[in-house]
Structures are given as C-alpha cells and as structure tokens.
Amino acid sequence: MPYDPPGRADHLPDDLVGRWNGLIEAAHAAHEPALGSRFFSLEPDTGADATTVQVGWFGDPAEPGFCLDPEAAEQLSDWGVRGRHELHNEYCEYAVQMAADANGVVRPKRVQVTTELAEYWLMLATWSPPTVRELVEEVLGVRPTWQELYGPGVSDPEALDPRQRTVAFATHVAGNGGDPELAEAGVPAQPMGTLNTANALFITHPINGLDDLLYIVMFGARPYARQTPDGFQPASREEIFRAFDVEHLACRHADPAAAMAAAGAAVAGRTVAFTNPLGMYLKSFTAELFTLDGAPVPDEWVRFSRGEPDRFQRLEFGPGDDDPHFLDDVTVTLGDVEKRVRGGYQVVRQLEVGPFVTLGPESPVADDERVVLQGSDEPIRCNEARACESVKNLQTRFEEQHGATRVAPRTMARDR
C-alpha cells in the first residue's frame, strides 16, 4: 500500500509518490534485521477490527527541562538557531519572527512551527526543483531564487545531476540529517542558508528524521514482558529502555510515547503500522490559554496549514504584518500564573504532536515471541542522562554571550 504525501498536503505525480515510498521502504529495510517482527508492518490493517489511534506528546524540548529546569529550558530553546539546532529534538521545531515596532524596538512578532520531515523536502528538491520552489513560495509567501535553494552560482538546478542537487539543497536548506554519506560529501549538520534557519520551513534536527521515527516505533513494537509468579506481565518503560542501554531516549517526550504505544499494542498481539499518510502532525493546541488584553487571541492569529484537517504540519501563531500587535503583547496562563509570551517555547509547550498509527486486531502471543526482560524497574534519572552534558555546555555558551546568571540545576515537575 503506497503512502500518500504527508498530510496529503501536495498533489504529486506518481513518480514522486513512488520515490517517497522508496525512502520509507529503505528506512524500514535498514531496521528490519535488528528490529523486525510480525508486530510491525508497512501495510496498515484495513479490516473491520483495525483501529486508528493518535500517538502524541508535547512539542517542547524535554531534555533541557530534565537537565536544568523549565526557565532555563525556555531560555535555551528560544536561543535562535542554536537552540533549535541543538535542542528541538521532539519532531517539532520552531522559529520566532522578529520585527521593529513603531518605536524601532525589535520584538517577537510571531512563531512558525513545523513537523515536516526533511527527507520529503530533500526528495522533492532532488527530483523536481520546480515543485520544491513552488512549495517554498506557498509556505513563506516569497518566491525563492535558485541560489537560495541550491547555493551561489546555481542558476539552473536542472543542469545538475540528481546527486549534485541533493548535496546542494542539503547544504543550503536541509543540513545532513545525520546521514554519513551527506556528511562525507561536505554537507554541514545544519543548513548554511537562511530559508530554513530564519524560518521553520521543515525540521532539520538530525534525530527528527524518518529513519528515527521508524526506528522508535519498530523498537517499541515487540511484546516486552517480565516474568512474575502470576505469569508474564508487560515490561515497564524503565525496564525496556534500560535493557537496551538507551535510557537517554526515555528522557524525551517523543521516544517513550511512541515506543510504549507500540509496545502496548504488541503485548496484546496487535500489529502496528503507520496510518496513511505517514507523517508527523500537529494535534491539540490549547490556544485558549493565550490572551490579548484579557480576551482570547483573535482566531486569525492561529493559522494551521500544510495538510488536511487533523493532519496539519505547520502552525503560525501571532499577528500578521499589518497588525500593530506583537507576540509579547500576549500572555499565557499556566495554572494560577500568567506570563508574558517571550518566544516559541511557551507556544509549543501547549502543542501536541505525533503520528497516527493503525492497530490490527488482538491475537495470541506465543511464549517464544515475547521479549522477556530482567532489568531494573527503578526510575531513570533523567537529570543524569548523557544529554545533560551538552545541555549544560550550551547553557555555559549562552551565559558567556549574554552574561546571564547560571540557573541552578534541579528536578522540577512540568507546570502545565
């Protein structure tokens, strides 16, 4: 069953749809030897007993909150392209658009949020330069030059061969996405151009990729269990992530949500498949928590796009260019606390993201299909995760540049 373009946002010719499906199949094949089982399939069950469910998590970066605290997490996550490139690893990235007010003071105007997969855009840029140029114009409202898309000196990308187009577009718009072949070709981790740094055109963090999404769901889609005197019981999140030495993945929002949803299905003998169209989507957004002068923000300040309803991949939040208001005129209420909106972190904390998956009917699970674990069930100490070293290094660089006072690391509950 071929997958349609993500969100069915674009009407593509069959050859491009085929290339998109080829990427999905290749990513699946790469993980199949280690993670393959009957509990994951690329063919969603279409029977009457199949169920489509949403798998979701909040879009704010979890790691800086675990390693430091919410205030430091907001500060670092909102630190322009540095914060985005190092911390936005929940398949949700954002960029804050700045503008000068009537007094010439530069202030945050609105937030762009995206969950679009880089592999999809890179495929289009490789095989159909006119299509990717039209999409950029559709999303940003400005027609890009070929040089912005493929680099200085490129006046006609059709004169390049497909591999050259891939490398050129990745260099200037997508980054290498952790692909060793692109890195070897000289593509930097993050794009050199401004189209996808000044804007959130699509996600670029190396672990926000299609490969990673398939990995974590396939990793989870096995009937993990522990032996008890009363028989087999489902293994806990701690047991699963600790048994495979990937405790750090449990310290994000996305990975444990996706893996444990798949594991719960597998324990019941249900197959897991991505619902067509495969993609990462923006789901619930508690816009009612944001107010302007004591009233709800105008409806036109919440603009979803790039997909069918319930499968949007893009959000722009804030006033338009002709509106005299700015994003920091808005307040957000969390519990009994009202705060001025300062950037994108406060927005994505109220935004749920994730894929849709289709579960097949329940079936018996044979003893030899269970993955029996005997690891510890002790809570994973996320404030000691490997990621904390890089988060704290980022905080140090922030303080060196801004002269900020160090925020003492501590464990803190989410303040939703």
Side-chain angles (χ1 to χ4, degrees), residues 23-33 36-37 40-42 211 214 218:
L23 293 176
I24 297 171
E25 292 163 4
H28 173 258
H31 294 309
E32 181 73 15
S37 76
F40 180 85
S41 173
L42 285 184
D211 173 81
L214 279 160
M218 292 178 70

Side-chain angles (χ1 to χ4, degrees), residues 174-197:
N176 66 40
D179 183 328
E181 291 186 3
L182 288 178
E184 187 175 345
V187 178
Q190 294 295 335
M192 295 175 60
T194 59
L195 279 179
N196 202 16
T197 53

Side-chain angles (χ1 to χ4, degrees), residues 58 71 74 78 111 285-297 301 317 326-351 415-416:
F58 287 101
E71 288 298 319
E74 176 186 335
D78 282 346
V111 180
F285 178 50
T286 50
E288 64 271 15
L289 296 179
F290 297 87
T291 58
L292 176 68
D293 299 328
V297 296
W301 284 24
F317 179 77
F326 283 76
L327 190 68
D328 56 6
D329 292 323
V330 176
T331 57
V332 59
T333 302
L334 302 174
D336 297 328
V337 179
E338 187 176 61
K339 294 183 177 181
R340 188 72 60 180
V341 175
R342 294 170 290 194
Y345 181 83
Q346 293 160 296
V347 174
V348 297
R349 277 182 69 82
Q350 307 306 324
L351 182 65
D415 59 356
R416 288 195 216 286

Side-chain angles (χ1 to χ4, degrees), residues 348-394:
V348 297
R349 277 182 69 82
Q350 307 306 324
L351 182 65
E352 190 180 20
V353 306
F356 288 87
V357 297
T358 297
L359 308 181
E362 293 189 9
S363 66
V365 177
D367 287 348
D368 62 358
E369 290 182 310
R370 292 188 177 92
V371 181
V372 182
L373 306 178
Q374 298 178 339
S376 170
D377 196 29
E378 289 295 314
I380 292 172
R381 297 181 180 180
C382 288
N383 61 344
E384 298 176 2
R386 288 177 289 191
C388 288
E389 182 177 352
S390 62
V391 170
K392 292 171 184 176
N393 287 338
L394 182 66

